[in-house]
Amino acid sequence: MKLLTVVGARPQFIKAAVLSRALPAFNASRPRDHQIQEVMVHTGQHYDDNMSAVFFQELNIPEPAHHLGVGSGPHGQQTARMLERLEPVMERERPDLVLVYGDTNSTLAGSLVASKLPIPVAHVEAGLRSYNRTMPEEINRVVTDHLSALLFCPTDRAVKNLSCEGIVAGVHRVGDVMYDSLLYNLARADRRAGVMAELGLQPGQYGLATIHRAESTDRPETVTGILSALGRLGLPIVVPLHPRTRAVLDAAGVGHVTGPVRLIAPVSYHEMLILERHARLILTDSGGVQKEAFLLGVPCVTLRNETEWVETVEAGWNRVAGTTPDAVEAAARLALEELCPEQGQPYGDDHAADAILGIVADYCRKERS
Ligand code: UD1
Ligand code: UDP
C-alpha cells in the first residue's frame, strides 16, 4: 500500500523523520502485501538550507520523490500554488492514503487536494486548538481535522477537542511524534555539543528564545519590544532567528541588536536540542519549542496570548505571557525565580510512530478489501 506524505515546513521535517525511520522495521515485520511504501512530497514552503536541507541531512530523511518549489508568498498565493502542483502529483501517484502533519499551509493544501480526488487523509497532531481564529494555523488545523479519515492525537485534550466538534470516528490517541523524536535524538545531538563553545555559552547561564509567529512579527514594534524585554533579564539570551523575523527587523532597520541579546541564524535540530537542554530559561512562540522545554525540564515563557499545549501550563512549567514587553519581563523573572513542580508525562510513551503505521496499514487494507 502506498502512503503519500506531504511536508513543507521545518517542524514537519522533524516529525516526518520519526515515521520514515520507523518504516523499515515495521515493514520487515509484515508480509509483503501488508507493507507500506512511503512517497514524500516537499511543497517547498521552507527552502533555505538552514530551514530545510539541514534537517534532511541530520535526520537521514530520504530525499523527497517530488519537490514542488512553491516558495514564499501571501497565504492565498502560497496555498494556491501548492494546490495546483499537488493535484497532478497525487493523481499520478494514486496513493491509498495522504498523510499530513501539524497546521501549516502545506498541511491545509495536502488535505484539501487529497479529499477532493478523493483520497483519504490522515492527520498527525490532530485535535489541537488555540480557539483563536485569527491564527492561520488554527484555520489550517480545523479544516484538516474535518477532512481527515484518520486523526492521530498527541494528547487526551486533543481527543476531547475533536469530540466537542463532533469528530469521534477515526480518532486515535497515539502520543506525540515530537516526544519520540526528542528521545531518539538527544544522545545523537551530542555530536553537535560544540555549539555551546562556538557561541561562548555556559550551561545554565543563558536564555534561549525563538520568535516567528505572525502575532509577534506582523508589527516590528512587537518584536523589538520583546527583544528589549529579553535584554533586561540580566543573562545572555541567544535567539536563533527565523527568516520571517530577520526580514521584519532588517526592513525596519533594527536588525543589529547589541548587548545581552544575540541574534543568530536558525540552527540545526541537534544544535537546538543542545541549546535547549542547557538553557536556564526558554522564551518562545513556537509550539514545538514549548513542548521541548517542558520535556527537557527547562522553564518556559510563551510569547503568545494562548497555547494549544495546555498540559505544559497546567503542570506549572510554562507561563503564557503575551507579547507586551512588561508582561514578558515579569513572566521571565518569575520563571527564573520559582522552582518548577514535578512533571507528569502527557505526551505518550515513545511509540507514536509504530502506532500510526499499524493503524494506517489496517485502514488501507480494509479500504482495499
Ligand atoms: C510556517 C507556518 C507556521 C510554523 C512555521 C514553522 C503557516 C501558515 N505557518 O510559518 O505554522 O510554525 O512555518 O517554522 O504555514 N522564509 C525564508 N526562507 C525560508 C522560509 C521562509 O526567507 O526557507 C521567510 C519568507 O520571507 C517568508 C516568511 O519567512 O515570507 C514566512 O514563511 P512562511 O512559510 O510563509 O511562514 P512561517 O512564518 O515560516
Ligand atoms: N528548531 C530548530 N532550529 C531552530 C529553531 C527551531 O531545529 O533554529 C526546531 C525546534 O527544536 C522544534 C521545531 O524546530 O523541534 C519547531 O519548529 P518551529 O518553531 O519552526 O515551528 P512550530 O513548532 O511553532 O510549528
Side-chain angles (χ1 to χ4, degrees), residues 1-4 35-39 92-98 364 368:
M1 50 202 107
K2 192 191 274 190
L3 178 69
L4 187 144
Q35 295 180 3
I36 296 173
Q37 178 207 351
E38 184 182 37
V39 175
R92 220 173 321 133
E93 293 283 356
R94 275 283 149 199
D96 296 283
L97 192 73
V98 166
C364 293
R368 278 185 168 191

Side-chain angles (χ1 to χ4, degrees), residues 158 161 198:
N161 291 341
E198 286 161 28

Side-chain angles (χ1 to χ4, degrees), residues 10-11 14 55 178 210 212-213 240 242 266-269 272 276 285-289 292:
R10 171 167 69 187
I14 296 167
F55 299 97
M178 290 292 272
T210 74
H212 75 274
R213 298 254 162 230
H242 190 289
V267 294
S268 79
Y269 181 54
M272 189 66 180
E276 288 174 340
D285 58 7
S286 156
V289 176
E292 285 161 0

